[in-house]
């Protein structure tokens, strides 16, 4: 459930959302200082705020992780599994408002999740829980708004 991240409100322009608080970081500290380049962002091809970059500081060694984008129903619409080469002192993930198939997603609120661990090969890396249960896993979640 994303109830802690999103509060919806209907307007004449459609349904938009207010963000509730800042990104949450689990109590472990591999990832820190999470920031968004633009929120909301407007992926309409005009060259202004067409992508959002989710960034954070990496504190220590990371061997595996993922970035996932969820729609308001909790469905994963974009996922990328990461290895040590994807993490350095500073991690950046640009998102263009498209799903894994390259299709534009509609306006709305999306929840992002970044997970990182120093464990070399967590069991079943496609399973979200395997990252969260790693001894040193850090999970960051927050919300971003797409306006088309």
């Amino acid at each position: 459930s994303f109830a802690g991240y999103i509060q919806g409100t209907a307007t004449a322009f459609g349904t938009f959302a207010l963000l509730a608080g800042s990104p949450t970081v689990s109590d472990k500290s591999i990832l820190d200082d999470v920031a968004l380049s633009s929120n909301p962002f407007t992926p309409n091809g005009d060259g202004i705020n067409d992508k959002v970059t989710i960034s954070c500081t990496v504190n220590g060694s990371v061997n595996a992780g993922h970035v996932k984008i969820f729609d308001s129903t909790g469905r994963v619409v974009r996922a990328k599994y990461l290895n040590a080469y994807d993490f350095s002192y500073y991690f950046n993930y640009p998102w263009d408002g498209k799903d894994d198939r390259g299709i534009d997603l509609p306006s709305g609120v999306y929840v992002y999740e970044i997970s990182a661990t120093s464990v070399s090969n967590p069991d079943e890396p496609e399973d979200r829980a395997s990252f969260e249960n790693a001894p040193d896993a850090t999970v960051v979640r927050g919300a971003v708004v797409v306006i088309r």
Side-chain angles (χ1 to χ4, degrees):
S1 167
F2 300 120
Y5 301 102
I6 303 168
Q7 295 176 2
T9 182
T11 69
F13 301 103
T15 301
F16 292 89
L18 306 171
L19 302 182
S22 57
T24 60
V25 180
S26 64
D27 59 354
K28 297 151 187 145
S29 60
I30 293 175
L31 304 176
D32 202 2
D33 300 325
V34 181
L36 301 175
S37 61
S38 177
N39 194 16
F41 76 109
T42 57
N44 56 13
D46 67 356
I48 301 170
N49 295 328
D50 284 336
K51 293 183 180 183
V52 62
T53 299
I54 304 165
S55 59
C56 59
T57 304
V58 179
N59 301 312
S61 176
V62 174
N63 288 316
H66 68 240
V67 175
K68 291 184 180 181
I69 308 289
F70 300 86
D71 66 14
S72 61
T73 68
R75 180 177 60 99
V76 176
V77 295
R78 188 83 176 249
K80 180 178 181 183
Y81 293 95
L82 308 168
N83 60 39
Y85 299 108
D86 295 306
F87 291 95
S88 62
Y89 175 73
Y90 204 67
F91 173 76
N92 290 306
Y93 179 74
W95 182 46
D96 57 6
K98 297 178 189 255
D99 67 11
D100 279 330
R101 298 171 294 162
I103 297 172
D104 288 342
L105 292 166
S107 294
V109 178
Y110 295 84
V111 172
Y112 63 86
E113 176 181 273
I114 305 169
S115 179
T117 180
S118 65
V119 174
S120 294
N121 294 308
D123 295 331
E124 301 176 24
E126 57 277 356
D127 180 358
R128 186 172 132 195
S130 67
F131 290 104
E132 293 176 358
N133 294 328
D136 66 347
T138 297
V139 180
V140 176
R141 292 184 185 98
V144 61
V145 176
V146 173
I147 298 176
R148 293 200 183 269

